[in-house]
Amino acid sequence: MACDFGIQCLLLSTCPACLLFCHVFQESLLSSSSGYSNYRGILNWCVVMLVLSNARLFLENIIKYGILVDPIQVVSLFLKDPYSWPAACLIIVSNVFILAALYTERRLAVVSLHISPDNTFSFAHMTQISCQVQAILLCMCVCVSVGGVISLGVYTVLFLKLYSYQDTNRWCREIRQAKAKKMTRSFSCPSVAQSNGSAAHTHVSYPGNLTHRDMYYFVFAPTLCYQLNFPRSPRIRKRFLMRRLLEMLFLMQLLVGLIQQWMVPTIQNSMKPFQEMDFSRMVERLLKLAVPNHLIWLIFFYWFFHSSLNFVAEMLQFGDREFYRDWWNSETVTYFWANWNIPVHKWCLRHFYKPMLRNGVNKFLAQTAVFLASAFFHEYLVSVPLKMFRLWAFMGMMAQVPLAWFVGRFLNGNYGNAAMWISLIIGQPIAVLMYVHDYYIIHHVNTT
Amino acid sequence: MACDFGIQCLLLSTCPACLLFCHVFQESLLSSSSGYSNYRGILNWCVVMLVLSNARLFLENIIKYGILVDPIQVVSLFLKDPYSWPAACLIIVSNVFILAALYTERRLAVVSLHISPDNTFSFAHMTQISCQVQAILLCMCVCVSVGGVISLGVYTVLFLKLYSYQDTNRWCREIRQAKAKKMTRSFSCPSVAQSNGSAAHTHVSYPGNLTHRDMYYFVFAPTLCYQLNFPRSPRIRKRFLMRRLLEMLFLMQLLVGLIQQWMVPTIQNSMKPFQEMDFSRMVERLLKLAVPNHLIWLIFFYWFFHSSLNFVAEMLQFGDREFYRDWWNSETVTYFWANWNIPVHKWCLRHFYKPMLRNGVNKFLAQTAVFLASAFFHEYLVSVPLKMFRLWAFMGMMAQVPLAWFVGRFLNGNYGNAAMWISLIIGQPIAVLMYVHDYYIIHHVNTT
């Protein structure tokens, strides 16, 4: 505005002429007609509110229960009876299966030069699998709570690894035979063209991989899928290794502390409303449990899939660090399940889903079968240590199929993402409470 | 990868040759070296967690206290003694001040043609201000809780409006005199060049604005700053008006409900730890109160600054709807205070800060003086209805000056934004608890 009150005024706009008009025609920012959409500050608001709410819950918990964290208790769980460690023995025995798998493959490599691999497949596999199932049954009878879960986990991982080992070696034999049949065309499969971080490791092809060194590298490598020449990282980064190790130790302590201080009292307090079937209190308890349960799951996710697997991978110079993808952005349930646990997802895809497709099963049926297998493993890993078959975990996993259909059909974008989070935050504590409730009923109500 | 197992395989990649290699050299997404930064899903996670946490608090509250919402109680606060409404009488009396201001200005418009406006200013202003202060003192003696707050609010707003009215008219006289002195140059001030939504309203210049119609339009308009020709919207949008009205009614109910159901029991429960000075419980109570207090403040903000002021503006076809700016994104405390309440900010800038700058006061001092005035008004609007002078609100406002310096100096970007939110979420309930505590001590402890 032109102004007659001098230079001083033009800078500060303090003269009467400049002050006279202070209103212009404009809409409020929150009116839809203003076209404003910068709500960057809202994210900070959410974070601050979450931190403050949880700080309060934490303080309330400390006031109510005092400090319950007790690292000695955890150690004592492992060392309960130091002269008979069934779990440790079982883990040592697992070497038998590893070596059996290796020697079977060595034998098959020779035999299959003469006979068709299709016959040998079923025989070798069946022997292996039946042995492992027997070991698992043994494990179920012997196991004590924590050691039992660990040995069961080890056996399950080993089962998946050896299955993959046998499958992959069988494919190599198939390729060798196909090659032998039509020698005219050269096969590109065991080529050096694959991306390999280091040139120092020599390239091996089929029968050459059947060594103890290669077998044990695969057993310890953070993957469930066997491959002839794993991509390798050029060197062990000391700082990276140290950071992952510190994360592992710290988060381990945090997890144990949160479980002792927050989960256990909340679960104990939830028993009464669940026995009395007081519905509104049950929902309140469920929501109260949801927060620590979800936090523990998130910390566990980071601890296992980022810190621990990266630590092992760095130690072994294992190159493929894709242990998870961006599941936090997933807008469908299927995307979440396909991306939060890449080692298992890769195994399912490679050794379960794709072979099914190859045998002419349609996609939806194959997907459901994968969920079914996954549901079985979830149930099995929970039921066996608790010695309680209730199918809650199984049903929780199977409920993902209709949920995936619903979310994919009716919700998309941020609504789909929110639905994924809700199912994750609410679904888990429901299953946890179901098992704890049943466990409590069996062990405490009947005895008193 | 080239593959010899046919077209079928190229589509599904289910042949042994395609399945053989499944690992590539890559980093985990959360490793800093991966360069990944898409955490869009985290915002949804925050929202879901907040909704679920608060749903639990709400359910817990209902279980603990039952339903406390009682609209009749609110109505009874207003109608306590229907035959003597001191607050309503005071509001009717305020017309006297409005008309006095108008007639004073009319007289001054004539007188100032002959004498200098500087002398008339102080006399007219002083008379007006002293009368208003007397009325406010009367108001303080008479007022009953809710009616008292409302009449006090009305008088405060009216005081600011009439101050602006007098200032603006004085500027007009100054301009008229400056024009008379140097007729050689034409003044651009009362020009039609300003942005005006409608061409239907005729343009008025200085003495022509001193009418009853113009005065009352200003009194009811949602602004504290007088201007000769307000920007006007072309028509009353019926749907916009209805939506704002429904928002007003609904949010009003919600506010009353939240206060009765959530704030009152929480405050009552906070009294015991505050009397016993149990520090950890005091912090816990403070954080518990922070959530409903902050929600109520946010709802109040939307209800008042968006719904109510827009409703009034739409009714009066008032064009300038900037009642708030994007304070939620503010990264400094100063930005927050300058943007959350635009009518008051505009008034302070136009009638307090800029005149001070014009008189040679430095910027920091002027800013502090504005905060001081604001602190005074906050204290005054709280203390008078409670009949309790404790200076907590005053101190809370004055604490913004060092806070603003600290945040501006050490925090920026999202950290500054988070600091703003924390001071907002935590600062308010501290002041609320202080007042309630003192009120409780005076009225309950001494009598029992």
Side-chain angles (χ1 to χ4, degrees):
Chain A
M1 185 185 285
C3 171
D4 283 338
F5 284 78
I7 298 293
Q8 170 84 24
C9 170
L10 278 173
L11 289 170
L12 296 166
S13 329
T14 54
C15 77
C18 292
L19 287 173
L20 212 53
F21 296 100
C22 65
H23 294 98
V24 274
F25 185 78
Q26 58 193 328
E27 287 289 341
S28 296
L29 286 185
L30 295 175
S31 291
S32 52
S33 50
S34 76
Y36 182 82
S37 68
N38 178 5
Y39 298 102
R40 183 166 45 85
I42 304 299
L43 179 60
N44 292 313
W45 176 78
C46 285
V47 172
V48 168
M49 283 293 276
L50 272 179
V51 169
L52 288 180
S53 309
N54 285 304
R56 189 189 73 79
L57 284 180
F58 185 74
L59 195 66
E60 193 187 30
N61 179 288
I62 293 278
I63 291 170
K64 208 165 168 185
Y65 303 114
I67 288 167
L68 299 175
V69 177
D70 180 9
I72 307 298
Q73 201 192 342
V74 180
V75 177
S76 73
L77 273 178
F78 286 92
L79 304 176
K80 213 184 264 169
D81 186 359
Y83 293 103
S84 75
W85 285 5
C89 293
L90 272 169
I91 291 172
I92 291 164
V93 166
S94 68
N95 283 299
V96 174
F97 293 100
I98 298 170
L99 294 174
L102 176 61
Y103 295 139
T104 314
E105 288 305 323
R106 278 195 182 167
R107 187 81 203 112
L108 282 172
V110 180
V111 170
S112 70
L113 285 173
H114 315 294
I115 61 165
S116 158
D118 294 324
N119 304 331
T120 59
F121 151 69
S122 42
F123 168 72
H125 268 61
M126 282 304 148
T127 320
Q128 189 78 32
I129 290 167
S130 70
C131 286
Q132 282 214 301
V133 169
Q134 281 167 38
I136 286 162
L137 288 174
L138 183 71
C139 182
M140 279 163 68
C141 301
V142 168
C143 78
V144 286
S145 56
V146 179
V149 178
I150 293 172
S151 62
L152 209 63
V154 168
Y155 266 84
T156 309
V157 167
L158 203 62
F159 172 76
L160 297 176
K161 279 190 187 233
L162 294 183
Y163 189 96
S164 173
Y165 188 72
Q166 289 160 341
D167 248 15
T168 311
N169 281 314
R170 186 166 52 80
W171 293 333
C172 286
R173 287 195 298 276
E174 279 182 37
I175 292 165
R176 192 171 58 173
Q177 285 198 322
K179 221 172 171 181
K181 274 181 191 162
K182 32 180 173 173
M183 283 293 284
T184 46
R185 288 164 70 186
S186 73
F187 247 94
S188 62
C189 283
S191 74
V192 206
Q194 56 169 315
S195 63
N196 199 326
S198 163
H201 299 277
T202 49
H203 180 73
V204 292
S205 52
Y206 173 52
N209 67 319
L210 300 173
T211 61
H212 287 91
R213 187 189 159 82
D214 183 87
M215 184 67 179
Y216 274 98
Y217 183 84
F218 169 58
V219 166
F220 288 107
T223 179
L224 297 172
C225 295
Y226 181 68
Q227 176 177 324
L228 254 71
N229 295 287
F230 283 115
R232 302 291 284 268
S233 53
R235 61 182 190 85
I236 298 176
R237 290 167 293 176
K238 295 276 184 318
R239 278 190 60 195
F240 184 87
L241 200 69
M242 277 311 293
R243 227 178 297 144
R244 292 294 90 78
L245 183 66
L246 291 178
E247 274 177 10
M248 270 170 77
L249 295 175
F250 173 73
L251 291 178
M252 189 71 191
Q253 295 300 321
L254 189 66
L255 274 175
V256 170
L258 280 176
I259 290 171
Q260 288 180 328
Q261 182 75 44
W262 202 352
M263 279 287 272
V264 174
T266 312
I267 288 175
Q268 281 172 346
N269 282 343
S270 308
M271 286 305 104
K272 203 159 156 278
F274 268 77
Q275 266 180 275
E276 293 166 359
M277 297 307 268
D278 177 348
F279 187 71
S280 58
R281 276 200 181 279
M282 269 160 73
V283 173
E284 194 267 332
R285 283 290 108 183
L286 180 68
L287 290 175
K288 181 138 199 178
L289 188 63
V291 175
N293 180 79
H294 184 63
L295 278 184
I296 285 167
W297 184 81
L298 284 181
I299 294 170
F300 169 80
F301 171 82
Y302 188 88
W303 172 76
F304 188 76
F305 286 93
H306 189 71
S307 305
S308 304
L309 292 187
N310 261 309
F311 177 79
V312 173
E314 194 68 34
M315 286 283 279
L316 295 172
Q317 289 181 266
F318 185 79
D320 189 356
R321 306 292 171 86
E322 196 189 45
F323 307 120
Y324 51 85
R325 281 199 287 257
D326 61 337
W327 58 267
W328 45 85
N329 295 335
S330 61
E331 293 174 0
T332 60
V333 173
T334 327
Y335 189 88
F336 169 76
W337 285 105
N339 290 282
W340 86 273
N341 186 341
I342 292 294
V344 167
H345 174 71
K346 217 175 234 168
W347 189 92
C348 286
L349 205 68
R350 194 181 182 216
H351 298 286
F352 201 75
Y353 181 74
K354 282 190 177 171
M356 264 197 287
L357 287 191
R358 201 183 172 192
N359 291 331
V361 178
N362 82 43
K363 277 195 173 187
F364 179 75
L365 211 68
Q367 221 167 25
T368 309
V370 170
F371 267 115
L372 204 75
S374 166
F376 167 75
F377 274 107
H378 273 85
E379 179 63 36
Y380 155 75
L381 283 173
V382 173
S383 295
V384 172
L386 291 176
K387 290 184 179 154
M388 207 171 63
F389 294 88
R390 281 296 182 284
L391 295 184
W392 299 126
F394 183 82
M395 272 151 56
M397 277 302 298
M398 286 319 289
Q400 301 296 322
V401 177
L403 181 69
W405 173 81
F406 177 81
V407 171
R409 180 84 180 71
F410 297 106
L411 303 167
N412 42 33
N414 286 336
Y415 293 100
N417 188 234
M420 181 279 285
W421 282 115
I422 290 171
S423 80
L424 198 62
I425 295 170
I426 293 293
Q428 282 181 7
I430 291 179
V432 169
L433 276 180
M434 291 298 188
Y435 277 103
V436 172
H437 171 252
D438 290 0
Y439 189 85
Y440 182 83
I441 295 280
I442 292 169
H443 290 80
H444 291 81
V445 176
N446 289 0
T447 53
T448 54
Chain B
M1 184 184 284
C3 170
D4 284 338
F5 284 78
I7 297 293
Q8 169 84 23
C9 171
L10 278 174
L11 288 172
L12 295 169
S13 332
T14 54
C15 77
C18 292
L19 286 174
L20 213 52
F21 295 100
C22 65
H23 294 100
V24 273
F25 185 78
Q26 57 193 331
E27 288 289 342
S28 297
L29 285 187
L30 294 176
S31 292
S32 52
S33 49
S34 77
Y36 183 81
S37 67
N38 179 5
Y39 298 103
R40 183 165 45 85
I42 304 298
L43 179 60
N44 292 313
W45 176 77
C46 285
V47 172
V48 168
M49 283 293 277
L50 272 179
V51 169
L52 289 180
S53 308
N54 285 303
R56 189 190 73 78
L57 284 180
F58 185 74
L59 196 64
E60 193 187 31
N61 178 289
I62 293 278
I63 290 169
K64 208 166 168 185
Y65 303 113
I67 289 168
L68 299 175
V69 178
D70 180 8
I72 307 298
Q73 201 193 341
V74 181
V75 176
S76 73
L77 273 178
F78 287 93
L79 304 175
K80 212 185 265 171
D81 186 359
Y83 293 101
S84 75
W85 285 6
C89 292
L90 273 168
I91 291 171
I92 291 163
V93 166
S94 68
N95 283 297
V96 173
F97 293 101
I98 298 169
L99 294 174
L102 177 61
Y103 295 138
T104 314
E105 289 305 323
R106 277 194 183 171
R107 188 80 202 114
L108 283 172
V110 180
V111 171
S112 69
L113 284 173
H114 314 294
I115 60 165
S116 160
D118 294 324
N119 304 330
T120 59
F121 152 67
S122 42
F123 168 73
H125 269 61
M126 284 303 149
T127 321
Q128 189 78 33
I129 290 167
S130 70
C131 286
Q132 282 212 303
V133 169
Q134 282 167 37
I136 287 162
L137 288 173
L138 183 73
C139 183
M140 280 162 68
C141 302
V142 168
C143 79
V144 286
S145 57
V146 179
V149 177
I150 293 172
S151 62
L152 210 62
V154 168
Y155 266 83
T156 311
V157 167
L158 204 61
F159 172 76
L160 297 175
K161 279 189 187 232
L162 294 184
Y163 188 95
S164 172
Y165 189 72
Q166 289 161 340
D167 249 15
T168 311
N169 281 312
R170 185 166 53 79
W171 294 332
C172 286
R173 286 194 298 276
E174 279 181 37
I175 291 164
R176 194 172 55 172
Q177 284 196 320
K179 221 174 173 180
K181 273 180 192 163
K182 32 181 171 174
M183 284 293 285
T184 46
R185 289 163 72 187
S186 74
F187 247 99
S188 60
C189 283
S191 73
V192 206
Q194 56 168 315
S195 63
N196 199 324
S198 161
H201 297 278
T202 50
H203 180 72
V204 293
S205 51
Y206 172 50
N209 67 319
L210 301 171
T211 61
H212 288 91
R213 188 189 160 81
D214 184 86
M215 183 69 181
Y216 275 97
Y217 183 84
F218 170 58
V219 166
F220 288 107
T223 180
L224 297 173
C225 294
Y226 182 68
Q227 176 175 325
L228 254 71
N229 296 288
F230 285 115
R232 302 292 284 271
S233 55
R235 61 182 190 84
I236 299 175
R237 290 167 294 176
K238 294 275 184 319
R239 278 189 61 194
F240 183 88
L241 200 70
M242 278 311 293
R243 228 178 296 145
R244 292 294 90 79
L245 183 66
L246 291 177
E247 273 176 12
M248 272 171 74
L249 296 175
F250 172 73
L251 292 178
M252 188 74 193
Q253 296 298 321
L254 190 65
L255 274 175
V256 170
L258 281 175
I259 290 171
Q260 289 181 328
Q261 183 74 46
W262 202 350
M263 278 287 270
V264 174
T266 312
I267 289 176
Q268 281 172 347
N269 283 344
S270 309
M271 286 305 104
K272 202 159 155 280
F274 268 78
Q275 265 180 274
E276 293 166 359
M277 297 306 267
D278 177 350
F279 187 70
S280 58
R281 275 199 182 279
M282 267 160 73
V283 173
E284 194 267 329
R285 282 291 108 183
L286 180 68
L287 290 174
K288 181 137 199 180
L289 188 63
V291 175
N293 180 77
H294 184 63
L295 278 184
I296 286 167
W297 184 82
L298 285 180
I299 294 170
F300 170 78
F301 172 82
Y302 188 87
W303 173 76
F304 188 75
F305 287 93
H306 189 72
S307 305
S308 303
L309 292 187
N310 260 309
F311 177 78
V312 173
E314 194 68 33
M315 286 283 279
L316 295 173
Q317 289 180 265
F318 185 79
D320 188 355
R321 306 293 171 85
E322 196 190 44
F323 306 121
Y324 51 85
R325 282 200 286 258
D326 60 337
W327 58 266
W328 46 85
N329 295 336
S330 60
E331 294 174 1
T332 60
V333 173
T334 327
Y335 189 87
F336 169 75
W337 285 105
N339 290 282
W340 87 273
N341 187 340
I342 292 295
V344 167
H345 174 70
K346 218 174 235 170
W347 189 92
C348 287
L349 205 67
R350 196 182 181 214
H351 297 289
F352 201 74
Y353 182 74
K354 283 190 176 172
M356 264 196 287
L357 287 190
R358 203 183 169 190
N359 291 330
V361 178
N362 83 44
K363 277 195 173 189
F364 180 74
L365 211 68
Q367 223 167 23
T368 311
V370 171
F371 266 116
L372 203 75
S374 166
F376 167 76
F377 274 108
H378 274 85
E379 179 63 38
Y380 155 77
L381 283 174
V382 174
S383 295
V384 172
L386 291 175
K387 289 184 179 155
M388 208 173 64
F389 293 87
R390 282 295 182 284
L391 294 184
W392 300 124
F394 182 82
M395 273 151 57
M397 278 302 298
M398 286 319 290
Q400 301 296 320
V401 177
L403 181 69
W405 173 81
F406 176 82
V407 171
R409 180 84 181 72
F410 296 107
L411 303 168
N412 43 31
N414 286 336
Y415 293 100
N417 188 235
M420 181 281 286
W421 282 114
I422 290 171
S423 80
L424 198 64
I425 295 170
I426 294 294
Q428 282 181 6
I430 290 179
V432 169
L433 277 180
M434 290 299 185
Y435 277 104
V436 172
H437 172 252
D438 290 359
Y439 189 85
Y440 181 83
I441 295 281
I442 292 169
H443 289 80
H444 292 80
V445 176
N446 290 1
T447 53
T448 54

